[in-house]
Amino acid sequence: MTTLIAELPPLRRIDNINNYLDMVSNVVDYVTYINIPDSTFANPSANSVLIGALIKHKFSNVEIMANVRIADHNKVGLVALIMGGLANGVRNYLFMRGDLGPGITAVTDLTPVSAIEYLRDVEQVNGARLGVSISSFDENYIRDRLRVKPDFAMLQYTLSIDDLRKVAVISKEYGVDVYPPLLITTGKSAKIISRILNMEIMVKPDPVSDAIERARELLRYFSGVYLSSPGDFNSVIDVARALRKYL
């Protein structure tokens, strides 16, 4: 079965939780996982594991994928975080280093790779699925991330099919499911995606049809994709609904 992951926007304000849950309600029936960011660009947002627990208690039919910034946790804190998540039905954790802003220092106990190695020997978190973020397309870097056999991996933004094919080939060697981004370029999201990729992204006349076409290409190489449209979650909902008709 094809895996579809919907990337939520970070929850920056806690006075709009009902609106946030309404967004989730419109997509849960069409996706396998809800992916929750964790303080992207070092801009604080509500803890992804706690928000995942809130969503899981309200929508039991969807799995949560909580992003965890390793730069914010030592070993004790990370184990405690995951234990609390498991107690609330959050089983999937995507590890990344995390961005650092001015005046922000990193906890250096762990890297995303060493965190997976460490947690595999911690009995209290048995049952957690541990994933890793891949943010570079250098072959040695990719192999270093996959050599620990994470339960899954997710790729950072790219539109390069050559980079994606490279990752697909390497991931098969390690037997790891890797999920690439399906970027949905609308009038709202294109500007943000352009800033992240440092290149101009053109808006397609029909963003949903364009996303479906590119999804078909990606699914030739990967077992699933994650849908991302920063600043325009409605387009994630539209594409998720449309894709389920074709899959």
Side-chain angles (χ1 to χ4, degrees), residues 89-151:
V90 179
R91 297 177 53 244
N92 307 282
Y93 300 86
L94 179 71
F95 295 151
M96 58 197 65
R97 176 181 177 271
D99 300 310
L100 299 177
I104 299 174
T105 57
V107 178
T108 58
D109 282 26
L110 298 164
T111 67
V113 168
S114 67
I116 291 175
E117 293 174 317
Y118 169 69
L119 290 170
R120 287 214 173 104
D121 293 326
V122 177
E123 182 181 358
Q124 293 99 317
V125 298
N126 283 348
R129 297 183 70 247
L130 309 176
V132 68
S133 174
I134 296 176
S135 58
S136 167
F137 295 93
D138 174 78
E139 183 172 338
N140 290 331
Y141 170 90
I142 296 167
R143 290 185 181 280
D144 182 63
R145 292 272 161 139
L146 297 182
R147 66 175 174 78
V148 293
K149 296 291 187 72
D151 293 298

Side-chain angles (χ1 to χ4, degrees), residues 57-77:
H57 283 292
K58 189 171 179 64
F59 306 102
S60 59
N61 61 320
V62 72
E63 288 293 320
I64 301 300
M65 188 178 285
N67 295 1
V68 177
R69 289 164 43 96
I70 294 299
D72 296 336
H73 301 282
N74 61 24
K75 291 179 179 179
V76 173

Side-chain angles (χ1 to χ4, degrees), residues 147-204:
R147 66 175 174 78
V148 293
K149 296 291 187 72
D151 293 298
F152 62 95
M154 290 178 68
L155 302 179
Q156 295 298 300
Y157 282 8
T158 183
L159 291 172
S160 168
I161 194 65
D162 290 336
D163 284 341
L164 293 169
R165 287 194 189 109
K166 180 199 299 183
V167 176
V169 170
I170 297 172
S171 68
K172 285 180 171 57
E173 295 178 26
Y174 292 90
V176 176
D177 286 330
V178 176
Y179 303 118
L182 178 61
L183 299 178
I184 306 165
T185 52
T186 70
K188 293 180 179 178
S189 69
K191 293 179 181 179
I192 301 173
I193 295 171
S194 295
R195 289 201 299 270
I196 294 171
L197 293 179
N198 196 28
M199 59 186 292
E200 185 175 2
I201 303 298
M202 303 300 295
V203 179
K204 300 293 183 179

Side-chain angles (χ1 to χ4, degrees), residues 24-51:
V24 176
S25 71
N26 288 319
V27 79
V28 287
D29 291 333
Y30 308 103
V31 298
T32 318
Y33 297 97
I34 296 290
N35 177 261
I36 306 173
D38 185 16
S39 298
T40 54
F41 307 111
N43 187 0
S45 60
N47 181 276
S48 62
V49 178
L50 291 176
I51 295 302

Side-chain angles (χ1 to χ4, degrees), residues 209-228:
S209 295
D210 173 67
I212 291 172
E213 182 179 343
R214 286 186 290 109
R216 288 171 172 167
E217 174 72 11
L218 291 174
L219 292 173
R220 293 173 55 196
Y221 306 102
F222 300 94
S223 61
V225 295
Y226 73 92
L227 282 55
S228 182

